[in-house]
């Protein structure tokens, strides 16, 4: 098999940045002309991330084929500028279900079902299937959880240990991400916790080839020597990863520290097809952002701010657009239940209402949208942000004062956002929404068509409710433009206001944030940030 296997695990604490480390490595390999297929395995028992609360677990990322996945998949897409599918994320729960389904069918011929070999085989088969069908140069496998701390990680550790035997240890690289510790109050460097983590790793029958050490300051020659000695890893394979201001600086820093070079060397590969890594455009974007002099302030008017990762794809997509326009981004998180909502929106250059579920905070969003519409502040509504914009328009322009979405008021006399027949009667919570990529036809002469530069596009969806077809004519007569519709014209995919009424007022039923990457900012986010910068220039606001 030509595919090489790269396994990335994490130790010491959770949230150590395995996803960013692994996706940075992917970028460094792609920049050398290699092909990379990333897979994130999540040891938790949920079947997928679809039913997880955004305040507890952060955003749910959606792929083109409609998988509801861990937010780390977003990092891979943004860093690697590739589109992934459901094969790139699986959980223990889905592995258990598959094994038990086989058992019920009688596939195991009456045998006792065990972690080894049944669960571990299922895990290996999933990884090997992708390697065989896609034949990437590298299968980049990130194992979620913390080695030495999570029980759930064990079957995965055992599976990759066996897989390495199967495909040959020389075709695998084990990369373990750990962190330096700093003791209070002297702030002295401590390496024991990371040494212990390597020990737990060895206890699983695995030995790391490369150690990535997260640190808040350079770790220094003495510490590297010490880590090398105690962990039996050559000094050149201890890769320092010092905190950076932005995650997009990390691939550059890791390249400088020889990360990809050491991975290739341990596989006896000298260099990629292009020889050296081509990071010129990446470097240029990072620098453009760092040296930018103007600031663009965008209000993110939502209700999941308690968790910083709830809107991660939206935040990153705004960042990509800001870097592209050579402006620094300031995201002003505005809680839609804030009593000072309108005050908080006063000095921003643009307002964005992201996706969300349930009644809480809706009225604040509607007030904020009214403010944006009446004061010509650039507005971008995503999914729930389109639905609330339609409710606002119905109430305040069409004068349907009781208008609402049936998600928030089942008995409303004007259900302008409703559930369509195909979705009715669904009681299961997981995987029952309109999910994944759907085509939209963009209408001639609209702002949205101009932004995309073509008339047929695909965007990803994750929602249950739609603009009610019974009101389509009333909306159009009232001045709301349907910039994009589903091919059968039944579903509203994009709305906008006429140019003479508003400089930039756009809503989409889709989630374009899932398709933005650092090198290729999404056109809609780019147009929104541009409109925000223009407003700022014309209003002369200094911020
Ligand atoms: N709650 C809305 C729906 O289900 C919007 C979902 C979203 O914003 N992703 O249609």
């Amino acid at each position: 098999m030509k595919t090489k296997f790269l396994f990335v695990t994490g130790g010491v604490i959770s949230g150590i940045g395995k996803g960013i480390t692994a996706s940075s490595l992917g970028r460094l390999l792609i920049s050398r002309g290699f092909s990379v297929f990333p897979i994130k395995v999540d040891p938790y028992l949920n079947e997928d991330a679809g039913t997880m609360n955004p305040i507890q677990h952060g955003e749910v990322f959606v792929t083109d084929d409609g998988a509801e996945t861990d937010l780390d998949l977003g990092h891979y897409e943004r860093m690697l500028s590739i589109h992934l599918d459901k094969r790139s994320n699986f959980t223990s729960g889905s592995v258990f279900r598959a094994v038990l389904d086989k058992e019920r069918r009688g596939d195991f011929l009456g045998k006792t079902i065990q972690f080894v070999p049944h669960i571990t085989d299922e895990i290996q088969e999933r990884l090997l299937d992708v390697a065989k069908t896609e034949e990437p140069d590298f299968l980049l496998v990130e194992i979620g959880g913390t080695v030495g701390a999570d029980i759930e990680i064990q079957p995965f550790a055992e599976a990759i240990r066996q897989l390495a035997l199967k495909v040959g240890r020389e075709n695998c690289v084990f990369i373990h991400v750990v962190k330096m510790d700093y003791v209070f109050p002297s702030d002295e460097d401590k390496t024991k916790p990371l040494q212990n983590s390597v020990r737990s790793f060895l206890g699983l029958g695995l030995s790391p080839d490369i150690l990535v050490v997260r640190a808040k300051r350079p770790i220094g020659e003495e510490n590297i020597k010490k880590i090398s000695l105690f962990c039996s890893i050559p000094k050149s394979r201890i890769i320092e990863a010092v905190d950076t201001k932005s995650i997009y600086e990390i691939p550059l820093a890791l390249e400088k520290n020889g990360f990809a070079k050491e991975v290739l060397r341990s596989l006896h590969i000298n260099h990629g097809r292009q020889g050296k890594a081509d990071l010129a455009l990446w470097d240029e974007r990072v620098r453009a952002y760092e040296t930018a002099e103007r600031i663009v302030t965008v209000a993110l008017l939502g209700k999941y701010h308690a968790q910083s990762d709830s809107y991660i794809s939206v935040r990153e997509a705004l960042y990509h657009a800001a870097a592209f326009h050579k402006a620094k981004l300031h995201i002003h998180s505005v809680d839609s239940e804030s009593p000072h909502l309108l005050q908080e929106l006063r000095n921003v250059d643009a307002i964005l209402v992201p996706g969300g579920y349930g009644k809480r905070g809706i009225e604040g969003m509607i007030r904020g949208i009214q403010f944006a519409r009446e004061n010509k502040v650039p507005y971008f509504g995503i999914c729930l942000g389109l639905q609330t914009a339609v409710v606002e328009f119905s109430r305040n322009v069409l004068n349907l004062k009781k208008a609402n979405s049936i998600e928030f008021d089942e008995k409303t006399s004007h259900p302008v956002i409703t559930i369509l027949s195909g979705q009715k009667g669904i009681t299961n919570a997981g995987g029952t929404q309109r999910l994944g990529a759907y085509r939209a036809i963009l209408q001639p002469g609209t702002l949205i068509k101009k932004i995309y530069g073509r008339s047929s596009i695909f965007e990803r969806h994750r929602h249950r409710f739609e603009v009610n077809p019974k009101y389509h004519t009333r909306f159009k007569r009232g001045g709301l433009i349907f910039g994009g519709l589903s091919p059968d014209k039944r579903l509203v995919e994009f709305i906008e206001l006429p140019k003479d009424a508003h400089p930039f007022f756009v809503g989409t039923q889709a989630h374009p944030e899932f398709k933005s990457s650092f090198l290729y900012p999404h056109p809609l986010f780019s147009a929104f940030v541009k409109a925000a910068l223009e407003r700022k220039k014309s209003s002369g606001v200094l911020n």
Side-chain angles (χ1 to χ4, degrees):
M1 194 185 298
K2 81 165 210 200
T3 299
K4 307 286 180 201
F5 294 77
L6 310 176
F7 297 108
V8 181
T9 51
V12 188
I13 54 163
S14 62
I16 197 150
K18 292 184 296 291
I20 304 285
T21 307
S23 52
S24 296
L25 175 59
R27 166 49 53 195
L28 299 180
L29 294 170
I30 284 182
S31 302
R32 286 171 162 83
F34 291 114
S35 61
V36 176
F37 194 108
I39 298 184
K40 164 88 195 280
V41 297
D42 282 307
Y44 52 69
L45 294 182
N46 305 55
E47 186 155 358
D48 63 30
T51 56
M52 289 182 155
N53 181 335
I55 293 183
Q56 253 178 44
H57 197 76
E59 170 193 276
V60 174
F61 189 79
V62 180
T63 55
D64 277 341
D65 60 347
E68 297 180 281
T69 73
D70 187 87
L71 58 84
D72 265 330
L73 254 68
H75 292 313
Y76 289 105
E77 290 211 359
R78 290 187 282 274
M79 287 274 197
L80 308 185
S81 300
I82 55 174
H83 290 166
L84 304 175
D85 58 47
K86 59 172 183 276
R87 293 171 300 170
S88 276
N89 187 213
F90 63 89
T91 67
S92 288
S94 79
V95 171
F96 292 157
R97 189 187 291 275
V99 170
L100 291 177
D101 284 348
K102 285 182 189 165
E103 183 263 341
R104 292 288 90 179
R105 278 203 313 263
D107 291 8
F108 299 122
L109 305 171
K111 286 206 184 101
T112 309
I113 309 304
Q114 295 180 296
F115 270 96
V116 183
H118 301 101
I119 298 293
T120 47
D121 279 356
E122 174 73 26
I123 296 167
Q124 291 177 66
E125 269 164 38
R126 289 188 186 196
L127 300 177
L128 283 169
D129 270 358
V130 176
K132 281 183 199 144
T133 48
E134 294 294 326
E135 297 189 314
D137 294 325
F138 294 98
L139 195 75
L140 179 57
V141 185
E142 176 194 346
I143 314 279
T146 309
V147 170
D150 300 330
I151 297 178
E152 293 91 342
I153 213 169
Q154 298 225 9
F156 287 100
E158 177 57 19
I160 61 175
R161 189 188 69 78
Q162 293 181 13
L163 189 64
L165 280 178
K166 210 174 275 174
V167 300
R169 182 65 176 86
E170 67 283 7
N171 294 314
C172 301
V173 185
F174 289 102
I175 298 153
H176 194 47
V177 186
V178 292
K179 75 178 275 287
M180 283 292 286
D181 224 321
Y182 305 97
V183 78
F184 182 79
S186 60
D187 201 29
E188 212 181 306
D189 299 347
K190 291 288 175 193
T191 63
K192 279 265 158 50
L194 73 83
Q195 288 177 39
N196 282 333
S197 172
V198 172
R199 211 159 289 141
S200 309
F201 198 85
L202 292 168
L204 297 169
L206 303 167
S207 54
D209 299 298
I210 293 181
L211 210 57
V212 176
V213 184
R214 296 281 316 270
K216 65 175 184 184
R217 54 176 174 249
I219 55 185
E221 189 53 29
E222 276 314 301
N223 280 328
I224 291 186
K225 258 198 222 155
K226 195 149 95 188
I227 297 168
S228 167
L229 182 70
F230 286 108
C231 300
S232 309
I233 298 173
K235 280 196 310 190
S236 64
R237 295 195 180 166
I238 293 162
I239 310 291
E240 158 184 288
V242 175
D243 295 346
T244 54
K245 275 194 239 108
S246 125
I247 56 169
Y248 300 105
E249 291 170 40
I250 295 173
L252 301 175
L254 291 175
E255 173 67 9
K256 219 161 79 203
N257 296 346
F259 187 24
K261 210 170 81 197
E262 286 302 326
V263 167
L264 293 173
R265 193 178 288 167
S266 66
L267 291 163
H268 306 289
I269 300 172
N270 287 335
H271 49 69
R273 289 189 194 111
Q274 287 159 215
K276 254 179 77 199
D278 179 5
L279 291 162
L281 181 59
W282 195 278
D283 194 65
E284 191 186 305
R285 283 281 156 78
V286 167
R287 242 167 266 285
Y289 188 85
E290 259 169 24
T291 55
E293 278 167 11
R294 41 188 196 164
I295 300 173
V296 62
T297 305
V298 177
L300 187 56
L301 176 56
K303 57 178 179 174
Y304 303 135
H305 290 302
Q307 224 279 16
S308 63
D309 280 345
S310 308
Y311 300 120
I312 186 160
S313 290
V314 171
R315 289 173 177 274
E316 294 303 319
L318 286 169
Y319 187 92
H320 304 155
F324 178 76
H325 289 294
K326 300 189 170 56
K328 281 230 162 67
L329 173 69
H330 174 225
I331 295 180
H332 182 40
S333 300
V334 181
D335 182 345
S336 59
E337 289 183 298
S338 159
H340 315 290
L341 188 114
L342 292 182
Q343 254 155 282
E344 297 204 48
L345 296 178
R346 196 144 298 151
N347 289 321
V348 303
D349 304 319
I351 299 173
L352 190 155
V353 172
Y357 294 82
K359 193 174 169 168
R360 185 176 67 81
I362 293 298
E363 292 306 316
M365 293 176 193
I366 292 172
R367 236 175 299 132
I369 296 168
Q370 180 178 12
F371 175 85
R373 186 176 54 75
E374 292 178 347
N375 295 285
K376 302 194 182 209
V377 181
Y379 175 72
F380 185 12
I382 295 179
C383 204
L384 180 65
L386 171 141
Q387 298 175 354
T388 41
V390 166
V391 173
E392 192 280 323
F393 187 86
S394 308
R395 288 185 191 172
N396 302 325
V397 179
L398 301 184
N399 221 14
L400 307 172
K401 291 293 173 210
K402 294 258 164 66
N404 216 332
S405 162
I406 65 155
E407 183 181 6
F408 319 129
D409 178 7
E410 256 183 88
K411 297 200 172 64
T412 171
S413 48
H414 286 292
V416 290
I417 304 292
T418 191
I419 210 149
L420 297 182
S421 50
Q423 292 279 352
K424 268 190 191 140
I426 288 173
T427 48
N428 242 358
T432 54
Q433 308 183 75
R434 180 147 84 106
L435 284 168
Y438 282 85
R439 186 195 295 279
I441 307 297
L442 308 183
Q443 306 304 305
T446 58
L447 172 62
I448 199 73
K449 180 161 180 219
K450 199 168 142 209
I451 290 171
Y452 277 94
R454 48 203 170 117
S455 51
S456 167
I457 58 110
F458 280 93
E459 289 291 358
R460 297 180 194 167
H461 287 248
R462 181 176 187 247
H463 60 105
R464 202 162 273 128
F465 299 87
E466 307 280 353
V467 177
N468 191 342
K470 288 193 189 126
Y471 288 82
H472 283 192
T473 315
R474 268 203 250 187
F475 288 138
K476 281 194 237 166
R477 278 202 205 119
L480 190 66
I481 298 172
F482 294 164
L485 295 162
S486 60
D488 65 1
K489 297 197 167 52
R490 195 160 159 254
L491 309 177
V492 175
E493 301 285 29
F494 292 93
I495 59 164
E496 61 188 61
L497 287 177
K499 215 168 150 199
D500 50 357
H502 201 287
F504 189 104
F505 190 99
V506 173
T508 171
Q509 192 56 79
H511 286 277
E513 70 273 23
F514 294 145
K515 282 174 74 171
S516 184
S517 76
F518 185 53
L519 292 184
Y520 305 100
H522 191 287
L524 201 35
F525 279 86
S526 176
F528 175 58
V529 166
K530 187 163 169 249
L533 284 164
E534 271 158 19
R535 171 182 160 83
K536 182 176 169 159
K537 204 160 86 192
S538 61
S539 66
V541 184
L542 293 174
N543 59 15

